[in-house]
C-alpha cells in the first residue's frame, strides 16, 4: 500500500510540475571581471530575459564579482552590464538545473556616457532619490589639501574664509563621517576637518533631502564624508607627501591588506604648517543712550533718553595673524569576515594637534579725524587638542538581495586646552604698559553612540527599513579669566566671568521607511521620531549678591520628522525628483552657555540659555538630463524655518578700561526664515582630452522677527558659482583650473561683498604610472577675502578678513600594488546603503 501511495504521490508531483513549470526554481552562479585586468566588477547587473524580451529576474555581483541568483527554469538570454562598460548578451541559455556559467569579462566603453552615474575625470556624480554622491577622484587641486579644502570643490557646498561650511548658502549643516556623528569631524566644529588630509576621502554625499534613516539635525541638510577602505585583495596602498609656501608640509599613508578572512586598513598623516592671515576693522561710534542695570534707557526730566558721547568716535584696528600648527592623526581598522555574509569591524581613530597662534592688533583711536591714541595688543594662544574614537560594527547580509542587519557602537573623547596671554602697551601719545590678561579654557567632551539598522527587501523592487540611534553627549567647559592688577605682574581671577559649564545632550531616535518602484515611478516614504533632553549646569560665583547663582536649565522635547522622496523617469536618460523633509536645528553648547567669553576686551560673545530649537520644512524639485557628451542636473528648492537662530550685536552700556564701549554678540530665536533658490550643474566632455564642470546656485533669503523691540528682519539675495576645467596634455601631463565666485550677501545688520578665488594645478605621471608629481596654487590671485559692513543705531563696523593667503604646494604620490584607475562606484540593484535609487 505504501508503495502505491508513493507512486501516486510521485505521479502527482510530476504532473504538477509539468503544468506549472514556472514554479521550479534553480540557482545560477557566475563571475564578472574587467577585461585585461581581471578586476572583480562588484555590483554588476545580471539579467535573465525570456523569449518575449521581458526581464524575468536578475541580481548583482558581490565584492568579488560573483553572483548567485534564483531563476525559474527555462531558456533565457543572459545579459551582463556594468556602468561605463560594454554590455554582453549570451543568448539561448537552456537553464533547467543548478548551473555555474562561464566567467564573463567586460571591456571599458570609453564612448559611453548614457548611464546612471554621471562621470567626469575629477568627480563621479551618483544621483539618488535622497542624495547626490561625489566621488573625489583625480582632483589635482586637492593635492596636499585638507578635507575642508576638498569640500570647497563639491557642488552645492561653500567653505567660508574662516572655515564655515554651508550647503546652498545655509551654514546649518550636519557633518557625518561614514554615516555617523564622529569625533573625526570635530563634534560640530569644522576646525578638525582642517587637520585631515583630503587623500583620506573616498566620496562625499551631499544630502539635501535626507531620508528618515539620517539624523534630523541640520536644517540645510547633511554632508556625509566616506573615508577610504580599499577592497582589492592583497597588500596595496599609497604614500603622499607635500611641501608648500607659506610653510605647508604633510605626509599621508594609506595602507590596506585584504585576504579572504579579514581586511586591515589604515590612514596615517602628519602635518606641520603655518597660516599667515590679516584683518582690518574701521569702527565708527555715535552718541548712545545711557542704560540702567536692566539695559533700559535712562530718561531725563523731560522724558527724553540721556545720551553720552563716545570717548573716541573712530577706532581702526589692523590685525596680523601668525598661526603655526602641527599634528598627527591615524585611523586603524580591521574587518573580520565571520561568514560569507557577515563581518565585524573594529576601528580606532586618534588625533593629536598642537597650535601656537600670535595675533598682533594695532589700534588707532580717533576724534574728529585726529589720532588721539595708538595701542598695540598682542595675543599669544597655545592650543592642545587630543581626540580618540573607538568604534565597533557588525554587519549581517542574510542574502544577496539586500536583506541585512547592522549594529554600531561608538565611543569618543575629545580634550582641548586653550591658553591665551594678552598684553597691551600704549605707544602714542605716550608710552605706557597696560594691564594684561590670561584666559584659560579647558573643554572635555564625551560622546556615546549606539545604532541598529534593519533592511528587508520585499519582492523585486520594494524595501522596508527600520532602526534606532542613540546619541549621549557631555561637554564640560572650564573658562577662567585672570586679570593683572595694574602692571604689577600679579593676576587675579575675575569671578564674574570665570565659570564651569556642564552641558548634556541625549537624543533617542527611531525611524522606519518604505521604498518601491513601479515602472518609471519610484518613491521612498519615511518617518523619524526624536526625543531630545538638554541639561545645563553652571558652577560660578555670584559677585553681586549673596544668593547663590542659578543659571541651570533642563529641557525635553519630542519631534516627528516625515520624509518623502519621489522620482519619475521620463526617459532612460532623463528624470525628475521631488523631495520633502522636516528638520531640526538644536543649539550647540556654546550658543546656550550664559557666561560671556571674549575675543577682545571690547567684543564679547554670550550664549542664550533660553534659546529654543529651530524647525524647518524643505521642498526640493530636481531634474536630470543626459546627452552623449553633456549632463545637466538642476533643482528648485524652498525652505521655511521657524525660531531660526540669528546673531545680533548690542551695546552693553559698559566701557573697557580704556573707555571703549563693550559690544555683545548674542544668539536669539527669530520668528521665521524663508529660503528660495535654484541650482544648476553641467558636466561637459567634448573630447577625450578636455573635461568641463560647472555649477551655479542662486537663493533668496528672508528673515522676519523682533528682539527687544528692534526689527531684525532682512532680505538677502545672493548666489555662487564654480567652474572647473581639466586638460590632458602630451607626455602624461594634466592641467586643471578651478574658479569660484560667491556674490554679495546681507543679513539684518551686515552686508558682505562678493568673493572670487581661483585655484590652478598641473600634474605628471612618472615611474610607470605608479607615481604622480603635482604642483598646485590655491587662491592664485590672493583674492579670497571677506569684506563686510555692519550697521547699527550706535556704531558701524567696516572690515576685511583673510584667513590664509595664496598657497603654492608641490605634492608627490606613490602607489604600490594599486592601479591609477577610476574609482569603482558602489551601486546595487535599486538600493545602496539603505538609500533607494530610482
Amino acid at each position: 500500500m505504501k508503495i502505491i501511495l508513493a507512486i501516486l504521490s510521485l505521479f502527482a508531483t510530476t504532473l504538477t510540475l509539468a503544468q506549472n513549470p514556472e514554479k521550479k526554481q534553480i540557482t545560477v552562479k557566475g563571475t564578472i571581471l574587467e577585461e585585461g585586468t581581471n578586476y572583480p566588477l562588484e555590483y554588476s547587473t545580471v539579467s535573465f530575459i525570456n523569449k518575449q524580451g521581458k526581464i524575468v529576474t536578475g541580481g548583482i555581483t558581490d565584492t568579488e564579482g560573483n553572483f548567485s541568483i534564483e531563476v525559474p527554469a527555462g531558456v533565457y538570454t543572459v545579459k551582463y552590464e556594468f556602468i561605463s562598460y560594454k554590455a554582453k548578451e549570451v543568448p539561448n541559455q537552456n537553464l533547467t538545473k543548478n548551473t555555474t556559467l562561464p566567467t564573463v569579462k567586460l571591456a571599458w566603453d570609453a564612448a559611453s556616457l548614457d548611464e546612471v552615474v554621471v562621470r567626469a575625470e575629477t568627480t563621479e556624480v551618483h544621483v539618488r532619490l535622497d542624495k547626490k554622491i561625489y566621488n573625489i577622484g583625480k582632483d589635482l587641486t586637492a593635492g596636499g589639501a585638507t578635507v575642508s579644502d576638498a569640500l570647497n570643490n563639491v557642488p552645492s557646498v561653500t567653505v567660508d574664509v574662516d572655515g564655515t561650511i554651508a550647503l546652498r548658502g545655509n551654514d546649518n549643516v550636519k557633518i557625518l563621517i561614514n554615516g555617523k556623528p564622529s569625533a573625526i569631524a570635530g563634534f560640530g566644529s569644522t576646525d578638525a576637518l582642517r587637520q585631515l588630509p583630503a587623500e583620506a576621502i573616498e566620496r562625499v554625499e551631499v544630502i539635501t533631502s535626507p531620508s528618515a534613516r539620517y539624523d534630523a539635525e541640520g536644517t540645510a541638510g547633511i554632508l556625509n564624508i566616506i573615508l577610504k577602505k580599499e577592497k582589492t585583495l592583497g597588500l596595496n596602498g599609497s604614500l603622499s607627501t607635500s611641501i608648500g609656501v607659506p610653510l605647508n608640509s604633510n605626509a599621508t599613508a594609506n595602507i590596506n591588506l585584504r585576504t579572504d578572512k579579514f581586511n586591515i586598513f589604515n590612514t596615517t598623516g602628519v602635518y606641520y604648517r603655518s597660516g599667515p592671515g590679516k584683518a582690518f576693522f574701521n569702527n565708527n561710534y555715535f552718541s548712545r543712550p545711557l542704560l540702567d542695570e536692566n539695559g533700559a534707557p535712562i530718561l531725563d526730566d523731560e522724558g527724553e533718553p540721556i545720551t553720552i558721547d563716545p570717548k573716541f568716535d573712530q577706532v581702526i584696528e589692523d590685525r596680523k595673524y601668525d598661526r603655526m600648527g602641527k599634528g598627527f592623526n591615524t585611523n586603524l581598522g580591521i574587518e573580520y569576515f565571520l561568514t560569507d555574509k557577515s563581518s565585524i569591524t573594529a576601528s580606532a581613530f586618534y588625533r593629536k594637534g598642537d597650535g601656537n597662534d600670535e595675533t598682533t592688533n594695532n589700534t588707532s583711536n580717533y576724534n574728529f579725524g585726529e589720532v588721539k591714541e595708538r595701542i598695540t595688543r598682542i595675543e599669544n594662544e597655545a592650543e592642545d587638542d587630543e581626540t580618540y574614537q573607538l568604534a565597533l560594527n557588525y554587519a549581517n547580509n542574510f542574502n544577496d538581495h539586500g536583506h541585512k542587519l547592522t549594529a554600531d557602537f561608538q565611543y569618543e573623547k575629545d580634550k582641548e586646552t586653550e591658553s591665551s596671554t594678552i598684553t597691551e602697551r600704549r605707544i602714542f601719545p605716550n608710552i605706557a604698559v597696560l594691564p594684561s590678561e590670561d584666559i584659560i579654557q579647558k573643554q572635555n567632551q564625551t560622546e556615546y553612540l549606539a545604532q541598529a539598522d534593519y533592511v528587508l527587501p520585499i519582492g523585486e523592487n520594494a524595501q522596508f527599513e527600520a532602526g534606532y540611534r542613540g546619541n549621549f553627549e557631555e561637554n564640560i567647559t572650564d573658562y577662567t579669566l585672570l586679570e593683572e592688577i595694574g602692571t604689577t605682574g600679579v593676576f587675579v581671577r575675575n569671578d564674574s566671568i570665570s565659570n564651569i559649564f556642564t552641558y548634556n545632550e541625549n537624543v533617542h531616535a527611531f525611524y522606519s521607511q518604505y521604498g518601491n518602484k513601479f515602472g518609471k515611478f519610484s518613491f521612498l516614504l519615511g518617518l523619524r521620531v526624536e526625543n531630545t533632553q538638554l541639561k545645563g549646569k553652571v558652577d560660578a560665583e555670584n559677585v553681586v549678591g549673596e544668593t547663590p547663582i542659578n543659571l541651570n536649565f533642563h529641557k525635553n522635547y519630542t519631534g516627528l520628522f516625515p520624509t518623502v522622496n519621489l522620482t519619475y523617469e521620463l526617459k532612460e536618460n532623463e528624470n525628475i525628483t521631488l523631495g520633502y523633509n522636516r528638520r531640526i536645528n538644536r543649539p550647540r553648547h556654546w550658543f546656550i552657555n550664559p557666561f560671556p567669553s571674549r575675543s577682545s576686551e571690547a567684543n564679547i560673545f554670550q550664549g542664550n540659555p533660553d534659546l529654543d530649537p529651530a524647525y524647518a520644512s524643505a521642498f526640493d524639485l530636481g531634474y536630470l538630463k543626459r546627452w552623449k557628451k553633456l549632463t545637466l542636473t538642476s533643482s528648485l528648492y524652498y525652505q521655511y524655518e521657524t525660531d531660526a537662530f540669528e546673531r545680533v550685536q548690542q551695546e552693553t552700556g559698559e566701557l573697557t578700561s580704556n573707555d571703549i564701549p563693550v559690544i555683545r554678540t548674542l544668539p536669539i530665536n527669530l520668528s521665521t526664515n524663508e529660503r528660495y533658490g535654484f541650482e544648476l550643474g553641467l558636466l561637459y566632455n567634448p573630447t577625450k582630452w578636455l573635461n568641463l564642470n560647472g555649477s551655479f546656485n542662486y537663493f533668496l533669503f528672508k528673515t522676519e522677527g523682533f528682539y527687544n523691540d528692534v526689527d531684525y528682519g532682512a532680505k538677502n539675495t545672493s548666489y555662487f558659482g564654480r567652474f572647473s576645467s581639466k586638460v590632458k596634455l602630451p607626455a602624461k601631463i594634466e592641467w586643471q583650473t578651478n574658479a569660484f565666485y560667491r556674490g554679495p550677501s546681507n543679513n539684518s545688520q551686515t552686508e558682505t561683498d562678493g568673493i572670487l578665488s581661483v585655484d590652478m594645478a598641473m600634474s605628471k605621471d612618472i615611474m610607470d604610472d605608479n607615481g604622480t608629481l603635482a604642483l598646485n596654487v590655491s587662491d592664485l590671485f590672493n583674492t579670497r577675502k571677506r569684506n563686510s559692513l555692519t550697521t547699527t543705531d550706535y556704531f558701524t563696523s567696516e572690515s576685511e578678513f583673510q584667513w590664509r593667503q595664496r598657497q603654492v604646494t608641490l605634492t608627490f604620490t606613490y602607489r604600490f600594488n594599486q592601479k591609477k584607475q577610476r574609482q569603482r562606484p558602489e551601486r546595487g540593484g535599486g538600493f545602496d546603503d539603505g538609500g533607494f535609487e530610482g
Side-chain angles (χ1 to χ4, degrees):
M1 185 65 181
K2 293 181 179 179
I3 296 176
I4 295 175
L5 289 174
I7 294 174
L8 290 174
S9 177
L10 178 62
F11 176 75
T13 301
T14 304
L15 181 62
T16 301
L17 290 174
Q19 292 174 343
N20 301 283
E22 69 278 9
K23 292 185 178 180
K24 181 182 178 182
Q25 297 286 320
I26 63 173
T27 300
V28 179
K29 299 181 179 181
T31 303
I32 304 178
L33 305 176
E34 181 182 58
E35 185 176 290
T37 66
N38 292 331
Y39 189 99
L41 293 182
E42 57 178 316
Y43 303 123
S44 300
T45 302
V46 184
S47 303
F48 294 85
I49 306 171
N50 62 18
K51 293 181 179 180
Q52 289 73 39
K54 296 182 178 181
I55 298 177
V56 175
T57 187
I60 60 174
T61 59
D62 60 17
T63 57
E64 307 303 327
N66 301 320
F67 64 86
S68 178
I69 304 171
E70 291 187 358
V71 182
V75 179
Y76 300 99
T77 295
V78 184
K79 187 175 183 179
Y80 305 92
E81 296 176 283
F82 188 67
I83 51 175
S84 298
Y85 287 75
K86 296 178 181 178
K88 276 190 178 182
E89 293 186 0
V90 182
N92 300 321
Q93 295 295 300
N94 187 13
L95 304 175
T96 58
K97 60 181 180 179
N98 295 341
T99 305
T100 298
L101 297 175
T103 297
V104 172
K105 297 182 180 180
L106 300 183
W108 166 247
D109 185 2
S112 174
L113 283 175
D114 296 330
E115 54 192 27
V116 174
V117 176
V118 183
R119 284 181 178 269
E121 186 95 20
T122 57
T123 308
E124 293 175 346
V125 185
H126 303 238
V127 179
R128 301 289 170 84
L129 264 169
D130 60 344
K131 59 191 172 184
K132 295 178 182 177
I133 303 173
Y134 298 91
N135 283 339
I136 305 300
K138 245 178 53 175
D139 190 345
L140 306 184
T141 61
T146 66
V147 169
S148 183
D149 296 326
L151 289 177
N152 204 36
N153 292 332
V154 174
S156 303
V157 179
T158 56
V159 181
D160 203 356
V161 292
D162 56 3
T164 302
I165 297 172
L167 184 57
R168 291 175 170 175
N170 188 345
D171 60 9
N172 183 227
V173 183
K174 182 70 172 180
I175 307 292
L176 302 178
I177 303 292
N178 295 332
K180 295 180 288 294
S182 174
I184 301 175
F187 292 119
S189 169
T190 58
D191 291 342
L193 298 179
R194 289 174 169 169
Q195 301 179 22
L196 292 177
E199 289 85 354
I201 302 178
E202 178 178 308
R203 64 181 187 272
V204 176
E205 298 178 348
V206 178
I207 309 173
T208 53
S209 184
S211 64
R213 76 189 311 264
Y214 292 104
D215 286 341
E217 175 77 25
T219 54
I222 294 172
L223 289 179
N224 186 21
I225 301 172
I226 307 298
L227 302 181
K228 287 181 179 178
K229 186 174 70 172
E230 183 61 50
K231 298 179 179 180
T232 308
L233 288 174
L235 177 65
N236 56 82
S238 64
L239 301 173
S240 179
T241 182
S242 64
I243 186 70
V245 179
L247 180 61
N248 176 26
S249 60
N250 65 69
T252 304
N254 289 294
I255 309 295
N256 191 89
L257 175 62
R258 179 172 179 135
T259 69
D260 292 332
K261 290 300 294 181
F262 63 85
N263 183 26
I264 299 176
F265 51 93
N266 174 251
T267 299
T268 297
V270 294
Y271 69 89
Y272 186 83
R273 63 174 70 103
S274 66
K278 61 182 180 178
F280 177 84
F281 297 86
N282 183 2
N283 302 321
N284 290 273
Y285 298 93
F286 316 125
S287 297
R288 57 184 177 84
L290 187 63
L291 305 178
D292 61 20
E293 59 183 11
N294 297 318
I298 298 176
L299 307 180
D300 59 18
D301 295 338
E302 298 179 359
E304 296 294 328
I306 299 176
T307 61
I308 55 176
D309 294 327
K311 181 178 180 181
F312 304 109
D313 58 17
Q314 184 182 22
V315 176
I316 294 178
E317 299 181 21
D318 189 0
R319 299 182 187 177
K320 292 183 179 180
Y321 304 97
D322 186 8
R323 308 181 191 91
M324 186 68 70
K326 59 182 178 180
F328 166 84
N329 58 79
T330 185
N331 185 34
L332 175 65
I334 179 169
E335 181 179 12
Y336 182 75
F337 304 103
L338 302 172
T339 67
D340 291 339
K341 305 295 184 183
S342 64
S343 66
I344 186 169
T345 302
S347 63
F349 171 81
Y350 177 78
R351 175 176 58 228
K352 173 70 173 177
D354 295 301
N356 289 281
D357 302 341
E358 182 178 273
T359 302
T360 303
N361 189 0
N362 294 308
T363 302
S364 299
N365 299 321
Y366 291 80
N367 261 332
F368 303 103
E370 182 180 351
V371 178
K372 298 296 183 180
E373 190 177 51
R374 295 188 191 275
I375 294 176
T376 297
R377 177 185 176 95
I378 299 177
E379 178 179 357
N380 287 284
E381 178 182 334
E383 180 178 339
D384 185 9
D385 185 10
E386 186 175 32
T387 301
Y388 56 89
Q389 171 183 295
L390 303 175
L392 193 64
N393 167 266
Y394 170 76
N396 189 349
N397 295 285
F398 298 103
N399 55 36
D400 296 324
H401 305 293
H403 185 197
K404 63 181 179 181
L405 171 68
T406 59
D408 293 272
F409 176 78
Q410 196 166 277
Y411 169 76
E412 304 168 355
K413 184 75 173 180
D414 184 80
K415 298 179 181 180
E416 182 178 288
T417 300
E418 295 180 2
S419 57
S420 301
T421 300
I422 301 173
T423 59
E424 277 188 292
R425 58 195 304 264
R426 185 189 299 117
I427 58 175
F428 179 83
N430 57 344
I431 297 177
V433 178
L434 302 178
S436 300
E437 293 181 357
D438 282 345
I439 299 174
I440 302 172
Q441 178 171 290
K442 298 180 180 180
Q443 185 169 307
N444 289 282
Q445 182 158 332
T446 305
E447 186 169 348
Y448 297 87
L449 178 143
Q451 177 177 333
D453 297 281
Y454 177 72
V455 181
L456 176 65
I458 304 172
E460 183 178 351
N461 293 317
Q463 179 169 292
F464 170 79
E465 284 188 64
Y468 162 81
R469 174 180 289 177
N471 278 85
F472 313 97
E473 172 188 337
E474 180 178 76
N475 190 293
I476 302 175
T477 303
D478 187 345
Y479 184 88
T480 303
L481 172 62
L482 303 176
E483 296 176 322
E484 186 180 15
I485 300 176
T487 57
T488 62
V490 178
F491 288 80
V492 177
R493 185 177 187 267
N494 186 326
D495 293 327
S496 64
I497 294 180
S498 302
N499 68 97
I500 299 176
F501 179 57
T502 302
Y503 171 79
N504 292 90
E505 178 181 296
N506 299 326
V507 181
H508 296 272
F510 296 88
Y511 79 92
S512 67
Q513 62 184 19
Y514 174 77
N516 207 338
K517 183 176 182 181
F518 299 98
K520 296 183 177 182
F521 176 72
S522 305
F523 68 86
L524 181 62
L525 309 176
L527 180 65
R528 187 179 185 91
V529 56
E530 291 192 351
N531 173 260
T532 304
Q533 295 178 348
L534 299 180
K535 295 181 182 180
K537 179 185 176 184
V538 177
D539 294 315
E541 297 183 26
N542 187 351
V543 298
V544 178
E546 296 180 357
T547 58
I549 190 167
N550 184 12
L551 293 174
N552 302 340
F553 60 88
H554 185 185
K555 296 184 178 183
N556 190 308
Y557 46 86
T558 300
L560 294 175
F561 304 95
T563 62
V564 178
N565 288 289
L566 312 173
T567 292
Y568 183 75
E569 297 179 7
L570 301 172
K571 298 178 182 178
E572 183 181 355
N573 58 350
E574 184 179 14
N575 66 50
I576 57 175
T577 59
L578 177 64
Y580 163 78
N581 64 90
R582 185 171 186 257
R583 311 285 295 165
I584 186 174
N585 182 11
R586 300 182 185 90
R588 302 300 299 172
H589 62 88
W590 58 83
F591 260 44
I592 55 181
N593 186 345
F595 267 79
S597 61
R598 53 187 185 175
S599 57
S600 69
E601 193 178 8
N603 294 278
I604 65 173
F605 178 87
Q606 185 171 0
N608 180 4
D610 292 327
L611 205 62
D612 293 319
Y615 293 91
S617 294
F619 298 85
D620 190 292
L621 178 64
Y623 173 74
L624 168 69
K625 172 71 173 178
R626 294 185 300 273
W627 293 270
K628 186 176 181 180
K629 296 182 178 181
L630 178 68
T631 297
L632 165 70
T633 60
S634 61
S635 67
L636 295 170
Y637 55 90
Y638 169 76
Q639 183 184 83
Y640 182 82
E641 185 175 0
T642 59
D643 291 329
F645 301 160
E646 183 74 23
R647 298 188 188 194
V648 297
Q649 290 182 311
Q650 296 179 317
E651 285 268 9
T652 63
E654 300 176 359
L655 299 175
T656 68
S657 58
N658 200 34
D659 293 331
I660 302 297
V662 176
I663 299 172
R664 178 182 69 169
T665 300
L666 181 76
I668 63 172
N669 288 112
L670 286 182
S671 56
T672 62
N673 182 326
E674 289 185 277
R675 185 182 297 267
Y676 310 80
F678 76 88
E679 61 181 353
L680 179 71
L682 291 172
L683 294 171
Y684 183 47
N685 302 303
T687 67
K688 293 182 179 180
W689 54 269
L690 178 62
N691 301 93
L692 304 176
N693 186 347
S695 63
F696 178 79
N697 195 302
Y698 174 90
F699 59 87
L700 170 66
F701 181 85
K702 181 180 179 181
T703 300
E704 294 180 352
F706 287 82
Y707 182 74
N708 286 348
D709 297 325
V710 178
D711 184 2
Y712 287 97
K715 286 186 178 180
N716 174 18
T717 300
S718 190
Y719 58 91
F720 61 87
R722 53 168 45 89
F723 173 78
S724 176
S725 67
K726 189 171 185 181
V727 180
K728 294 182 178 180
L729 302 173
K732 296 182 180 181
I733 297 175
E734 297 182 352
W735 170 32
Q736 181 177 327
T737 303
N738 291 350
F740 173 81
Y741 179 76
R742 185 176 63 201
S745 62
N746 67 277
N747 60 21
S748 60
Q749 294 181 317
T750 303
E751 297 180 1
T752 303
D753 295 341
I755 298 177
L756 170 69
S757 64
V758 176
D759 302 332
M760 188 174 293
M762 297 189 71
S763 76
K764 176 174 173 55
D765 293 339
I766 58 178
M767 304 171 66
D768 295 328
D769 293 344
N770 289 318
T772 301
L773 270 176
L775 177 68
N776 74 72
V777 183
S778 175
D779 193 10
L780 178 66
F781 301 111
N782 204 36
T783 54
R784 193 167 174 79
K785 304 174 183 179
R786 181 177 62 206
N787 292 277
S788 61
L789 173 64
T790 298
T791 304
T792 71
D793 292 337
Y794 309 122
F795 70 91
T796 63
S797 178
E798 185 179 2
S799 66
E800 178 181 277
F801 177 69
Q802 183 179 26
W803 173 264
R804 184 179 63 185
Q805 65 189 49
R806 176 175 46 231
Q807 183 87 43
V808 181
T809 306
L810 178 65
T811 303
F812 171 69
T813 302
Y814 177 75
R815 296 167 292 274
F816 58 93
N817 297 334
Q818 189 181 76
K819 289 186 60 179
K820 184 183 179 184
Q821 57 191 357
R822 301 168 305 278
Q823 292 186 359
R824 308 290 181 191
E826 296 191 9
R827 61 187 294 261
F831 302 91
D832 174 65
D833 294 335
F836 186 74
E837 177 182 9

